Amino acid sequence: MIILLFIFDIFIYNLTPYNIPLFILELPNLKSIKPSIIFFLILSFFEIKYLISLLLILILYMINFKLDKVLFSKKRKYIILLLINYIIYFSFYYIIVKNFL
């Protein structure tokens, strides 16, 4: 599922002026970060923004891993983690991209 979200994300980024990171939808349920790391490292040859995204994904994965032990309800946990992921991703990504790139 995560690979399909990556592919949709690339199509949306290349075909529209919007950058909606769809792969974050699967991040709270992600068991292994390895496919994401490989995919972002391949994409980082084309643009530097993917390295920034990889760094943010690793940070979000660690936050999710820590919060996963605290939250118990599955629906509530997914919604809370998803909101946290999008808030952190958009805030850090746009601060870094707008100021440094």
Side-chain angles (χ1 to χ4, degrees), residues 48-49 52 91-101:
I48 191 77
K49 82 171 191 89
I52 297 167
S91 61
F92 284 128
Y93 184 79
Y94 285 113
I95 288 171
I96 292 171
V97 169
K98 296 295 181 186
N99 291 329
F100 298 110
L101 297 177

Side-chain angles (χ1 to χ4, degrees), residues 75-89:
K75 288 182 182 180
R76 186 178 295 164
K77 176 179 73 170
Y78 180 77
I79 292 170
I80 290 171
L81 290 175
L82 193 62
L83 287 173
I84 290 170
N85 288 339
Y86 270 110
I87 290 169
I88 291 173
Y89 182 85

Side-chain angles (χ1 to χ4, degrees), residues 13-51:
Y13 178 71
N14 289 329
L15 300 176
T16 66
Y18 305 109
N19 184 14
I20 304 166
L22 296 176
F23 52 86
I24 293 182
L25 292 173
E26 190 65 25
L27 195 60
N29 295 331
L30 203 60
K31 300 294 181 207
S32 174
I33 193 76
K34 291 177 187 176
S36 302
I37 292 173
I38 293 169
F39 195 73
F40 274 108
L41 286 176
I42 292 170
L43 289 175
S44 67
F45 287 114
F46 302 111
E47 286 190 42
I48 191 77
K49 82 171 191 89
Y50 292 111
L51 280 178

